[in-house]
Amino acid sequence: MKIFLSKITLALKKICCIGAGYVGGPTMAVIANNCPESKVTVVDLDIEKIANWNNHDLTKLPVYEPGLKDIIKKNRNKNLFFTTNIKSAVSEADIIFISVNTPTKIKGLGAGYASDLKWVESSARTVGEFSSGHTIVVEKSTVPVRTAELIKKILSSYITNSDKLPIKTFSVLSSPEFLAEGTALKDLENPDRVLIGGEDEKAINQLSLLYQKWIPKDKIFVTNVWSSELSKLTANAFLAQRISSINSISSICEPTGADIKEVARAIGADSRIGKKFLNAGPGFGGSCFQKDLLNLIYLCRFYRLEEVANYWEQVILLNEWQKTRISKLIIETFFGTISSKKLALLGFSFKSNTNDTRESPAIKIARELLENGADLCIHDPQVSESQVAKELNRNDYKTMKIPNESNWSFTNNLKSAFENADAVIIVTEWEEYFRINWKMMSNLMRRPSWVFDTRGIIKDDNLIGTNLNFWKIGKGFIDL
Ligand code: NAD
Ligand code: UGA
Protein backbone atom coordinates (compact mmCIF):
# COMPACT_ATOMS: atom_id res chain seq x y z
CA MET A 1 0.00 0.00 0.00
CA LYS A 2 1.32 3.44 -0.89
CA ILE A 3 1.55 5.82 2.05
CA PHE A 4 2.10 9.42 1.11
CA LEU A 5 2.88 12.32 3.34
CA SER A 6 0.03 14.54 2.29
CA LYS A 7 -0.60 15.62 5.92
CA ILE A 8 3.00 16.44 6.72
CA THR A 9 3.96 20.06 6.44
CA LEU A 10 7.03 20.46 4.33
CA ALA A 11 10.00 22.43 5.58
CA LEU A 12 10.71 23.29 1.97
CA LYS A 13 8.16 26.00 1.37
CA LYS A 14 9.96 27.93 -1.33
CA ILE A 15 11.32 25.86 -4.19
CA CYS A 16 13.32 27.29 -7.06
CA CYS A 17 14.54 25.64 -10.24
CA ILE A 18 17.24 27.17 -12.42
CA GLY A 19 16.59 26.10 -16.01
CA ALA A 20 13.12 25.99 -17.61
CA GLY A 21 13.88 23.36 -20.23
CA TYR A 22 12.70 19.83 -20.95
CA VAL A 23 13.57 18.80 -17.39
CA GLY A 24 13.01 21.96 -15.33
CA GLY A 25 9.53 22.77 -16.71
CA PRO A 26 7.82 19.36 -16.40
CA THR A 27 9.65 18.39 -13.17
CA MET A 28 8.62 21.54 -11.34
CA ALA A 29 5.07 21.30 -12.66
CA VAL A 30 4.80 17.85 -11.07
CA ILE A 31 6.32 19.05 -7.79
CA ALA A 32 3.92 22.02 -7.70
CA ASN A 33 1.00 19.72 -8.42
CA ASN A 34 1.90 17.36 -5.59
CA CYS A 35 3.00 19.95 -3.04
CA PRO A 36 0.27 22.60 -3.08
CA GLU A 37 1.59 24.24 0.10
CA SER A 38 4.95 25.00 -1.53
CA LYS A 39 5.66 27.84 -3.92
CA VAL A 40 7.60 26.62 -6.95
CA THR A 41 9.41 29.16 -9.13
CA VAL A 42 11.15 28.18 -12.35
CA VAL A 43 13.71 30.68 -13.64
CA ASP A 44 15.59 30.97 -16.89
CA LEU A 45 17.78 33.49 -18.71
CA ASP A 46 15.85 32.90 -21.90
CA ILE A 47 13.17 35.62 -22.00
CA GLU A 48 11.27 34.07 -24.89
CA LYS A 49 11.15 30.67 -23.24
CA ILE A 50 9.76 32.11 -20.02
CA ALA A 51 7.20 34.15 -22.00
CA ASN A 52 6.09 30.93 -23.68
CA TRP A 53 5.81 29.09 -20.36
CA ASN A 54 3.52 31.96 -19.33
CA ASN A 55 1.61 32.09 -22.60
CA HIS A 56 -2.19 31.89 -22.34
CA ASP A 57 -2.15 29.84 -25.49
CA LEU A 58 -0.97 26.52 -24.11
CA THR A 59 0.01 25.26 -27.57
CA LYS A 60 2.92 27.73 -27.30
CA LEU A 61 4.54 26.05 -24.28
CA PRO A 62 8.23 25.57 -25.11
CA VAL A 63 8.04 21.84 -24.39
CA TYR A 64 5.57 19.43 -25.98
CA GLU A 65 4.70 16.54 -23.66
CA PRO A 66 1.44 14.63 -23.40
CA GLY A 67 -0.48 15.94 -20.37
CA LEU A 68 1.76 18.97 -19.84
CA LYS A 69 -0.79 21.56 -20.91
CA ASP A 70 -3.29 20.35 -18.29
CA ILE A 71 -0.88 20.35 -15.38
CA ILE A 72 0.42 23.81 -16.32
CA LYS A 73 -3.09 25.16 -16.64
CA LYS A 74 -4.02 23.75 -13.23
CA ASN A 75 -1.02 25.08 -11.28
CA ARG A 76 0.40 28.07 -13.13
CA ASN A 77 0.19 31.33 -11.18
CA LYS A 78 -1.22 29.43 -8.18
CA ASN A 79 1.87 27.80 -6.73
CA LEU A 80 3.87 27.45 -9.97
CA PHE A 81 5.60 30.48 -11.47
CA PHE A 82 7.88 31.04 -14.43
CA THR A 83 10.08 34.12 -14.35
CA THR A 84 13.33 35.68 -15.47
CA ASN A 85 13.66 37.36 -12.08
CA ILE A 86 16.35 34.98 -10.91
CA LYS A 87 17.56 37.12 -8.03
CA SER A 88 14.24 37.23 -6.25
CA ALA A 89 13.45 33.52 -6.75
CA VAL A 90 16.90 32.43 -5.55
CA SER A 91 16.97 34.73 -2.55
CA GLU A 92 13.71 33.41 -1.08
CA ALA A 93 14.31 29.71 -1.87
CA ASP A 94 14.80 26.97 0.74
CA ILE A 95 15.86 24.55 -1.98
CA ILE A 96 17.22 25.18 -5.47
CA PHE A 97 17.32 22.60 -8.24
CA ILE A 98 19.95 23.19 -10.92
CA SER A 99 18.44 21.85 -14.18
CA VAL A 100 20.53 23.62 -16.75
CA ASN A 101 22.01 22.22 -19.95
CA THR A 102 25.28 20.27 -19.80
CA PRO A 103 26.16 19.70 -23.47
CA THR A 104 29.36 18.21 -24.83
CA LYS A 105 32.22 20.73 -24.98
CA ILE A 106 32.86 21.94 -28.51
CA LYS A 107 36.29 23.43 -27.89
CA GLY A 108 39.16 23.34 -25.47
CA LEU A 109 40.32 20.50 -23.28
CA GLY A 110 38.11 17.44 -23.71
CA ALA A 111 36.25 18.89 -26.74
CA GLY A 112 33.92 16.33 -28.27
CA TYR A 113 33.76 14.29 -25.06
CA ALA A 114 33.69 16.21 -21.78
CA SER A 115 30.60 18.04 -20.58
CA ASP A 116 30.61 21.79 -20.71
CA LEU A 117 29.82 22.81 -17.16
CA LYS A 118 29.75 26.55 -17.71
CA TRP A 119 25.98 26.75 -17.20
CA VAL A 120 26.19 24.70 -13.99
CA GLU A 121 29.01 26.91 -12.77
CA SER A 122 27.16 30.12 -13.53
CA SER A 123 24.07 28.75 -11.77
CA ALA A 124 26.17 27.96 -8.70
CA ARG A 125 27.55 31.51 -8.72
CA THR A 126 24.02 32.92 -9.01
CA VAL A 127 22.95 30.81 -6.03
CA GLY A 128 26.03 31.90 -4.10
CA GLU A 129 25.39 35.53 -4.80
CA PHE A 130 21.64 35.84 -4.27
CA SER A 131 20.69 33.13 -1.77
CA SER A 132 20.12 33.88 1.87
CA GLY A 133 20.15 31.78 5.04
CA HIS A 134 20.57 28.03 4.59
CA THR A 135 19.88 26.70 1.10
CA ILE A 136 19.79 23.13 -0.17
CA VAL A 137 21.26 23.01 -3.66
CA VAL A 138 20.34 20.00 -5.78
CA GLU A 139 22.19 18.92 -8.89
CA LYS A 140 19.43 17.76 -11.23
CA SER A 141 21.39 18.25 -14.44
CA THR A 142 23.36 15.22 -15.63
CA VAL A 143 26.97 15.92 -14.75
CA PRO A 144 30.37 14.22 -14.66
CA VAL A 145 31.22 12.44 -11.44
CA ARG A 146 32.55 14.85 -8.79
CA THR A 147 30.73 17.93 -10.13
CA ALA A 148 29.12 18.35 -6.70
CA GLU A 149 32.63 19.12 -5.45
CA LEU A 150 32.90 21.94 -7.98
CA ILE A 151 29.52 23.34 -6.92
CA LYS A 152 30.51 23.12 -3.26
CA LYS A 153 33.78 24.92 -3.96
CA ILE A 154 32.02 27.75 -5.76
CA LEU A 155 29.38 28.06 -3.05
CA SER A 156 31.92 27.96 -0.24
CA SER A 157 33.39 31.22 -1.50
CA TYR A 158 30.05 32.89 -0.78
CA ILE A 159 29.53 31.55 2.75
CA THR A 160 29.21 34.48 5.14
CA ASN A 161 29.83 34.47 8.85
CA SER A 162 29.85 38.16 9.52
CA ASP A 163 27.81 39.51 12.42
CA LYS A 164 26.12 42.07 10.22
CA LEU A 165 25.01 39.78 7.40
CA PRO A 166 22.61 36.89 7.74
CA ILE A 167 24.63 33.69 7.72
CA LYS A 168 24.66 32.06 4.31
CA THR A 169 25.22 28.30 4.20
CA PHE A 170 24.58 25.46 1.74
CA SER A 171 24.03 21.72 1.52
CA VAL A 172 24.73 20.20 -1.87
CA LEU A 173 22.85 17.07 -2.98
CA SER A 174 22.71 15.10 -6.20
CA SER A 175 19.32 13.97 -7.47
CA PRO A 176 19.59 13.17 -11.17
CA GLU A 177 16.52 13.01 -13.37
CA PHE A 178 15.54 9.80 -15.19
CA LEU A 179 12.49 11.00 -17.14
CA ALA A 180 12.27 10.18 -20.83
CA GLU A 181 10.79 12.72 -23.22
CA GLY A 182 7.36 11.87 -24.52
CA THR A 183 6.50 10.13 -21.23
CA ALA A 184 7.91 12.80 -18.90
CA LEU A 185 4.81 13.31 -16.79
CA LYS A 186 4.17 9.59 -16.32
CA ASP A 187 7.82 9.07 -15.42
CA LEU A 188 7.78 11.93 -12.95
CA GLU A 189 4.49 10.92 -11.33
CA ASN A 190 5.45 7.28 -11.06
CA PRO A 191 9.21 6.87 -11.29
CA ASP A 192 10.96 3.49 -11.01
CA ARG A 193 13.15 5.18 -8.40
CA VAL A 194 14.59 8.53 -7.43
CA LEU A 195 18.12 9.00 -6.18
CA ILE A 196 19.36 11.33 -3.49
CA GLY A 197 23.12 11.47 -3.16
CA GLY A 198 24.62 13.41 -0.32
CA GLU A 199 26.20 13.61 3.11
CA ASP A 200 24.04 16.06 5.02
CA GLU A 201 21.38 13.87 6.61
CA LYS A 202 19.05 16.73 7.43
CA ALA A 203 19.06 17.97 3.83
CA ILE A 204 18.63 14.41 2.49
CA ASN A 205 15.68 13.93 4.79
CA GLN A 206 14.04 17.18 3.70
CA LEU A 207 14.37 16.34 0.01
CA SER A 208 13.14 12.83 0.70
CA LEU A 209 10.05 14.23 2.46
CA LEU A 210 9.38 16.41 -0.56
CA TYR A 211 9.49 13.39 -2.90
CA GLN A 212 7.44 11.33 -0.45
CA LYS A 213 4.49 13.63 -1.11
CA TRP A 214 3.79 11.40 -4.11
CA ILE A 215 6.54 8.78 -4.38
CA PRO A 216 6.60 5.70 -2.11
CA LYS A 217 9.53 5.77 0.31
CA ASP A 218 10.93 2.45 -0.91
CA LYS A 219 11.53 4.02 -4.31
CA ILE A 220 13.73 6.76 -2.87
CA PHE A 221 17.32 5.53 -2.83
CA VAL A 222 19.89 7.36 -0.75
CA THR A 223 23.50 6.95 -1.90
CA ASN A 224 26.76 8.78 -1.65
CA VAL A 225 27.07 11.75 -4.03
CA TRP A 226 29.47 10.10 -6.43
CA SER A 227 27.36 6.94 -6.79
CA SER A 228 24.36 9.10 -7.56
CA GLU A 229 26.23 11.04 -10.26
CA LEU A 230 27.73 7.88 -11.76
CA SER A 231 24.43 5.95 -11.67
CA LYS A 232 22.86 8.53 -13.97
CA LEU A 233 25.62 8.20 -16.58
CA THR A 234 25.55 4.42 -16.23
CA ALA A 235 21.79 4.14 -16.69
CA ASN A 236 21.97 6.09 -19.95
CA ALA A 237 25.02 4.12 -21.10
CA PHE A 238 23.21 0.80 -20.54
CA LEU A 239 20.05 2.00 -22.31
CA ALA A 240 22.03 3.31 -25.29
CA GLN A 241 24.04 0.09 -25.43
CA ARG A 242 20.83 -1.90 -25.63
CA ILE A 243 19.70 0.08 -28.67
CA SER A 244 23.04 -0.30 -30.42
CA SER A 245 22.89 -4.03 -29.64
CA ILE A 246 19.45 -4.52 -31.19
CA ASN A 247 20.34 -2.27 -34.13
CA SER A 248 23.47 -4.31 -34.79
CA ILE A 249 21.31 -7.45 -34.90
CA SER A 250 18.82 -5.71 -37.24
CA SER A 251 21.59 -5.50 -39.81
CA ILE A 252 22.21 -9.25 -39.58
CA CYS A 253 18.49 -10.02 -39.89
CA GLU A 254 18.14 -8.23 -43.22
CA PRO A 255 20.51 -10.38 -45.34
CA THR A 256 19.74 -13.64 -43.51
CA GLY A 257 15.95 -13.67 -43.66
CA ALA A 258 15.51 -13.34 -39.90
CA ASP A 259 13.00 -10.77 -38.64
CA ILE A 260 14.17 -8.41 -35.88
CA LYS A 261 10.69 -8.25 -34.33
CA GLU A 262 10.65 -12.02 -33.92
CA VAL A 263 14.20 -12.03 -32.56
CA ALA A 264 13.39 -9.20 -30.11
CA ARG A 265 10.29 -11.04 -28.91
CA ALA A 266 12.22 -14.27 -28.48
CA ILE A 267 15.05 -12.75 -26.47
CA GLY A 268 12.83 -10.32 -24.57
CA ALA A 269 10.80 -13.22 -23.16
CA ASP A 270 13.89 -14.18 -21.17
CA SER A 271 13.19 -12.33 -17.95
CA ARG A 272 16.92 -11.69 -17.47
CA ILE A 273 16.94 -9.71 -20.73
CA GLY A 274 13.45 -8.17 -20.52
CA LYS A 275 11.30 -6.96 -23.38
CA LYS A 276 11.61 -3.18 -23.10
CA PHE A 277 13.92 -1.05 -25.23
CA LEU A 278 14.37 -3.65 -27.95
CA ASN A 279 12.89 -1.72 -30.88
CA ALA A 280 15.36 -1.54 -33.74
CA GLY A 281 15.40 1.86 -35.41
CA PRO A 282 17.44 4.48 -37.22
CA GLY A 283 19.73 4.94 -34.20
CA PHE A 284 19.19 6.62 -30.89
CA GLY A 285 18.87 10.38 -30.72
CA GLY A 286 18.00 12.87 -28.02
CA SER A 287 20.10 15.29 -26.08
CA CYS A 288 21.49 12.82 -23.60
CA PHE A 289 22.51 9.30 -24.66
CA GLN A 290 25.42 10.38 -26.82
CA LYS A 291 26.43 13.26 -24.54
CA ASP A 292 26.38 11.09 -21.44
CA LEU A 293 28.26 8.25 -23.14
CA LEU A 294 30.90 10.73 -24.31
CA ASN A 295 31.09 12.04 -20.78
CA LEU A 296 31.59 8.50 -19.42
CA ILE A 297 34.23 7.79 -22.06
CA TYR A 298 36.08 10.97 -21.11
CA LEU A 299 35.99 9.95 -17.47
CA CYS A 300 37.36 6.48 -18.31
CA ARG A 301 40.24 8.02 -20.26
CA PHE A 302 40.88 10.47 -17.44
CA TYR A 303 41.35 7.49 -15.11
CA ARG A 304 43.45 5.73 -17.80
CA LEU A 305 40.83 3.03 -18.43
CA GLU A 306 41.38 2.94 -22.17
CA GLU A 307 39.76 -0.49 -22.75
CA VAL A 308 36.65 0.57 -20.86
CA ALA A 309 36.51 3.82 -22.83
CA ASN A 310 36.81 1.93 -26.13
CA TYR A 311 34.07 -0.49 -25.07
CA TRP A 312 31.57 2.33 -24.53
CA GLU A 313 32.74 4.29 -27.55
CA GLN A 314 31.70 1.40 -29.75
CA VAL A 315 28.06 2.03 -28.74
CA ILE A 316 28.28 5.49 -30.33
CA LEU A 317 30.16 4.30 -33.41
CA LEU A 318 27.54 1.65 -34.06
CA ASN A 319 24.83 4.28 -33.66
CA GLU A 320 26.46 6.55 -36.24
CA TRP A 321 26.91 3.60 -38.57
CA GLN A 322 23.22 2.66 -38.31
CA LYS A 323 22.15 6.13 -39.52
CA THR A 324 24.59 6.11 -42.43
CA ARG A 325 23.71 2.56 -43.40
CA ILE A 326 20.09 3.68 -43.81
CA SER A 327 20.86 6.69 -45.98
CA LYS A 328 23.29 4.58 -48.04
CA LEU A 329 20.73 1.88 -48.53
CA ILE A 330 18.20 4.43 -49.81
CA ILE A 331 20.72 5.93 -52.21
CA GLU A 332 21.81 2.50 -53.47
CA THR A 333 18.20 1.46 -54.01
CA PHE A 334 18.02 4.25 -56.57
CA PHE A 335 21.25 3.00 -58.20
CA GLY A 336 23.21 5.87 -56.67
CA THR A 337 21.10 8.63 -58.15
CA ILE A 338 18.67 10.44 -55.93
CA SER A 339 19.22 13.89 -57.39
CA SER A 340 15.92 15.40 -58.47
CA LYS A 341 14.01 12.62 -56.73
CA LYS A 342 11.40 13.69 -54.23
CA LEU A 343 11.91 11.86 -50.96
CA ALA A 344 9.33 12.38 -48.21
CA LEU A 345 10.92 12.16 -44.77
CA LEU A 346 8.28 11.44 -42.17
CA GLY A 347 9.25 12.58 -38.70
CA PHE A 348 12.05 14.86 -37.57
CA SER A 349 11.89 14.70 -33.75
CA PHE A 350 14.23 12.13 -32.19
CA LYS A 351 11.26 10.05 -31.04
CA SER A 352 7.49 10.43 -31.00
CA ASN A 353 5.53 12.61 -28.57
CA THR A 354 8.21 15.28 -28.28
CA ASN A 355 9.13 18.37 -30.28
CA ASP A 356 12.79 17.86 -29.37
CA THR A 357 15.12 17.40 -32.35
CA ARG A 358 18.45 17.30 -30.52
CA GLU A 359 20.69 14.58 -32.06
CA SER A 360 17.69 13.23 -33.94
CA PRO A 361 18.73 10.49 -36.40
CA ALA A 362 16.61 12.39 -38.94
CA ILE A 363 19.28 15.11 -39.05
CA LYS A 364 22.10 12.91 -40.27
CA ILE A 365 19.90 10.92 -42.62
CA ALA A 366 18.45 14.13 -44.11
CA ARG A 367 21.88 15.70 -44.54
CA GLU A 368 23.30 12.64 -46.26
CA LEU A 369 20.35 12.50 -48.64
CA LEU A 370 20.65 16.24 -49.33
CA GLU A 371 24.36 15.88 -50.01
CA ASN A 372 23.43 13.40 -52.67
CA GLY A 373 21.07 15.86 -54.31
CA ALA A 374 17.68 14.63 -53.08
CA ASP A 375 14.68 16.88 -53.10
CA LEU A 376 13.55 16.34 -49.49
CA CYS A 377 10.07 17.04 -48.21
CA ILE A 378 10.08 16.87 -44.41
CA HIS A 379 6.96 16.27 -42.35
CA ASP A 380 6.59 16.35 -38.58
CA PRO A 381 3.46 16.95 -36.50
CA GLN A 382 5.20 18.88 -33.70
CA VAL A 383 8.53 20.20 -34.94
CA SER A 384 8.51 23.63 -36.58
CA GLU A 385 10.06 24.44 -39.95
CA SER A 386 12.48 26.89 -38.31
CA GLN A 387 13.68 24.17 -35.96
CA VAL A 388 14.34 21.86 -38.94
CA ALA A 389 16.27 24.66 -40.64
CA LYS A 390 18.34 25.23 -37.52
CA GLU A 391 19.26 21.56 -37.26
CA LEU A 392 20.11 21.13 -40.93
CA ASN A 393 22.40 24.14 -40.89
CA ARG A 394 23.97 23.67 -37.49
CA ASN A 395 27.71 23.49 -37.47
CA ASP A 396 29.31 21.62 -34.62
CA TYR A 397 32.43 19.69 -33.81
CA LYS A 398 31.38 16.63 -35.77
CA THR A 399 29.38 18.21 -38.53
CA MET A 400 29.75 16.86 -41.99
CA LYS A 401 29.95 19.30 -44.82
CA ILE A 402 26.73 21.29 -44.97
CA PRO A 403 25.02 20.71 -48.28
CA ASN A 404 25.65 23.67 -50.58
CA GLU A 405 22.46 23.42 -52.52
CA SER A 406 20.09 22.32 -49.82
CA ASN A 407 16.89 21.46 -51.45
CA TRP A 408 14.35 20.75 -48.82
CA SER A 409 10.87 21.85 -47.91
CA PHE A 410 8.68 21.39 -44.89
CA THR A 411 5.03 20.50 -44.62
CA ASN A 412 2.47 19.79 -41.91
CA ASN A 413 0.29 18.08 -44.44
CA LEU A 414 0.89 14.37 -45.03
CA LYS A 415 -0.83 14.42 -48.41
CA SER A 416 1.48 17.07 -49.78
CA ALA A 417 4.47 15.08 -48.53
CA PHE A 418 3.27 12.05 -50.51
CA GLU A 419 2.37 13.95 -53.71
CA ASN A 420 4.77 12.94 -56.51
CA ALA A 421 7.22 11.43 -54.03
CA ASP A 422 9.49 8.68 -55.30
CA ALA A 423 9.99 7.38 -51.78
CA VAL A 424 8.61 7.79 -48.30
CA ILE A 425 10.99 7.31 -45.38
CA ILE A 426 9.56 6.86 -41.89
CA VAL A 427 12.10 8.12 -39.36
CA THR A 428 9.98 8.87 -36.27
CA GLU A 429 7.28 6.56 -34.95
CA TRP A 430 4.52 9.21 -34.68
CA GLU A 431 1.08 7.74 -33.99
CA GLU A 432 -0.37 9.22 -37.18
CA TYR A 433 2.11 7.27 -39.32
CA PHE A 434 0.72 4.01 -37.91
CA ARG A 435 -2.65 5.05 -39.32
CA ILE A 436 -1.60 5.94 -42.87
CA ASN A 437 -3.98 4.59 -45.48
CA TRP A 438 -1.33 3.25 -47.82
CA LYS A 439 -3.74 2.29 -50.59
CA MET A 440 -4.96 5.86 -50.84
CA MET A 441 -1.67 7.64 -50.22
CA SER A 442 0.44 5.49 -52.55
CA ASN A 443 -1.73 6.68 -55.43
CA LEU A 444 -0.36 10.17 -54.88
CA MET A 445 3.22 9.01 -55.42
CA ARG A 446 5.25 8.79 -58.61
CA ARG A 447 5.77 5.22 -59.88
CA PRO A 448 7.80 3.19 -59.18
CA SER A 449 7.47 4.17 -55.54
CA TRP A 450 9.24 3.07 -52.39
CA VAL A 451 8.67 2.96 -48.67
CA PHE A 452 11.55 2.73 -46.20
CA ASP A 453 10.31 2.00 -42.71
CA THR A 454 13.23 2.63 -40.36
CA ARG A 455 11.05 2.08 -37.25
CA GLY A 456 9.35 -1.12 -38.32
CA ILE A 457 5.87 0.28 -37.71
CA ILE A 458 4.09 -0.69 -40.94
CA LYS A 459 2.20 -3.98 -40.98
CA ASP A 460 3.16 -5.77 -44.21
CA ASP A 461 -0.51 -6.58 -44.90
CA ASN A 462 -1.37 -2.87 -45.07
CA LEU A 463 0.74 -2.51 -48.22
CA ILE A 464 -0.71 -5.43 -50.14
CA GLY A 465 -2.25 -4.25 -53.42
CA THR A 466 -0.40 -0.94 -53.41
CA ASN A 467 2.44 -1.54 -55.91
CA LEU A 468 4.84 -0.10 -53.38
CA ASN A 469 8.36 -1.43 -52.99
CA PHE A 470 8.89 -1.98 -49.31
CA TRP A 471 11.94 -2.05 -47.05
CA LYS A 472 11.67 -2.49 -43.33
CA ILE A 473 14.34 -2.26 -40.63
CA GLY A 474 15.50 -5.67 -39.49
CA LYS A 475 13.60 -7.46 -42.25
CA GLY A 476 14.96 -5.90 -45.44
CA PHE A 477 13.10 -5.79 -48.79
CA ILE A 478 9.79 -7.53 -48.51
CA ASP A 479 7.88 -9.28 -51.32
CA LEU A 480 4.30 -8.22 -50.79
P1 NAD B 1 17.38 22.47 -21.89
O1 NAD B 1 18.45 22.97 -22.77
O2 NAD B 1 16.04 22.13 -22.44
O3 NAD B 1 17.12 23.50 -20.69
C1 NAD B 1 18.14 24.08 -19.94
C2 NAD B 1 17.73 25.52 -19.65
O4 NAD B 1 18.65 26.10 -18.72
C3 NAD B 1 17.74 26.45 -20.86
O5 NAD B 1 16.45 26.98 -21.06
C4 NAD B 1 18.78 27.53 -20.51
O6 NAD B 1 18.41 28.82 -20.98
C5 NAD B 1 18.74 27.48 -19.01
N1 NAD B 1 19.95 28.04 -18.36
C6 NAD B 1 21.24 27.76 -18.62
N2 NAD B 1 22.05 28.43 -17.79
C7 NAD B 1 21.26 29.16 -16.98
C8 NAD B 1 21.50 30.05 -15.91
N3 NAD B 1 22.74 30.32 -15.48
N4 NAD B 1 20.45 30.65 -15.32
C9 NAD B 1 19.19 30.40 -15.73
N5 NAD B 1 18.89 29.54 -16.73
C10 NAD B 1 19.91 28.93 -17.35
O7 NAD B 1 18.00 21.19 -21.15
P2 NAD B 1 17.20 19.92 -20.58
O8 NAD B 1 16.87 18.97 -21.67
O9 NAD B 1 16.12 20.42 -19.68
O10 NAD B 1 18.35 19.22 -19.71
C11 NAD B 1 18.81 19.81 -18.51
C12 NAD B 1 19.73 18.80 -17.82
O11 NAD B 1 18.98 17.64 -17.46
C13 NAD B 1 20.88 18.30 -18.68
O12 NAD B 1 22.00 18.09 -17.85
C14 NAD B 1 20.40 16.96 -19.20
O13 NAD B 1 21.46 16.06 -19.44
C15 NAD B 1 19.57 16.46 -18.03
N6 NAD B 1 18.47 15.55 -18.40
C16 NAD B 1 17.72 15.81 -19.50
C17 NAD B 1 16.64 14.96 -19.81
C18 NAD B 1 15.79 15.20 -21.02
O14 NAD B 1 14.95 14.35 -21.28
N7 NAD B 1 15.93 16.29 -21.74
C19 NAD B 1 16.34 13.88 -18.96
C20 NAD B 1 17.14 13.67 -17.84
C21 NAD B 1 18.20 14.52 -17.55
C1 UGA C 1 16.59 8.84 -22.12
C2 UGA C 1 16.38 7.85 -20.97
O1 UGA C 1 15.40 6.88 -21.38
C3 UGA C 1 15.90 8.57 -19.73
O2 UGA C 1 15.80 7.66 -18.64
C4 UGA C 1 16.91 9.66 -19.37
O3 UGA C 1 16.48 10.40 -18.25
C5 UGA C 1 17.07 10.61 -20.55
O4 UGA C 1 17.51 9.85 -21.71
C6 UGA C 1 18.10 11.66 -20.33
O5 UGA C 1 18.97 11.52 -19.52
O6 UGA C 1 17.97 12.62 -21.08
P1 UGA C 1 15.06 10.08 -23.88
O7 UGA C 1 16.34 10.36 -24.57
O8 UGA C 1 14.12 11.19 -23.63
O9 UGA C 1 15.34 9.42 -22.45
O10 UGA C 1 14.24 8.99 -24.68
P2 UGA C 1 14.34 7.40 -24.86
O11 UGA C 1 12.98 6.85 -24.83
O12 UGA C 1 15.32 6.80 -23.97
O13 UGA C 1 14.85 7.29 -26.36
C7 UGA C 1 16.16 7.67 -26.74
C8 UGA C 1 16.38 7.28 -28.19
O14 UGA C 1 16.43 5.87 -28.34
C9 UGA C 1 15.28 7.75 -29.14
O15 UGA C 1 15.84 8.20 -30.34
C10 UGA C 1 14.44 6.51 -29.37
O16 UGA C 1 13.74 6.51 -30.57
C11 UGA C 1 15.53 5.45 -29.35
N1 UGA C 1 14.99 4.11 -29.00
C12 UGA C 1 14.46 3.88 -27.77
C13 UGA C 1 15.07 3.09 -29.92
O17 UGA C 1 15.56 3.27 -31.07
N2 UGA C 1 14.59 1.85 -29.58
C14 UGA C 1 14.05 1.60 -28.36
O18 UGA C 1 13.64 0.43 -28.12
C15 UGA C 1 13.98 2.64 -27.44
Side-chain angles (χ1 to χ4, degrees), residues 413-424:
N413 183 314
L414 257 186
K415 269 192 178 165
S416 71
F418 271 76
E419 262 161 23
N420 295 319
D422 295 279
V424 167

Side-chain angles (χ1 to χ4, degrees), residues 236-254:
N236 275 359
F238 269 57
L239 290 169
Q241 179 202 45
R242 208 167 149 90
I243 299 167
S244 280
S245 299
I246 200 73
N247 284 344
S248 74
I249 301 300
S250 74
S251 72
I252 310 177
C253 287
E254 292 157 24

Side-chain angles (χ1 to χ4, degrees), residues 17-26 43-47 49 53 63 65 83 86 98-103 115 118-124 126 140-143 176-182 184 232 236 286-288 291-292 350 356 358:
C17 175
I18 304 183
Y22 284 87
V23 168
V43 301
D44 206 291
L45 299 167
D46 187 332
I47 297 169
K49 198 174 269 187
W53 278 113
V63 171
E65 277 293 335
T83 176
I86 300 180
I98 298 182
S99 296
V100 298
N101 36 321
T102 50
S115 286
K118 75 173 173 225
W119 292 274
V120 171
E121 277 199 40
S122 71
S123 303
T126 305
K140 194 143 258 316
S141 296
T142 305
V143 290
E177 184 48 62
F178 294 96
L179 69 81
E181 288 178 31
K232 173 62 198 175
N236 275 359
S287 61
C288 295
K291 156 179 92 70
D292 295 347
F350 78 96
D356 195 345
R358 290 177 288 182

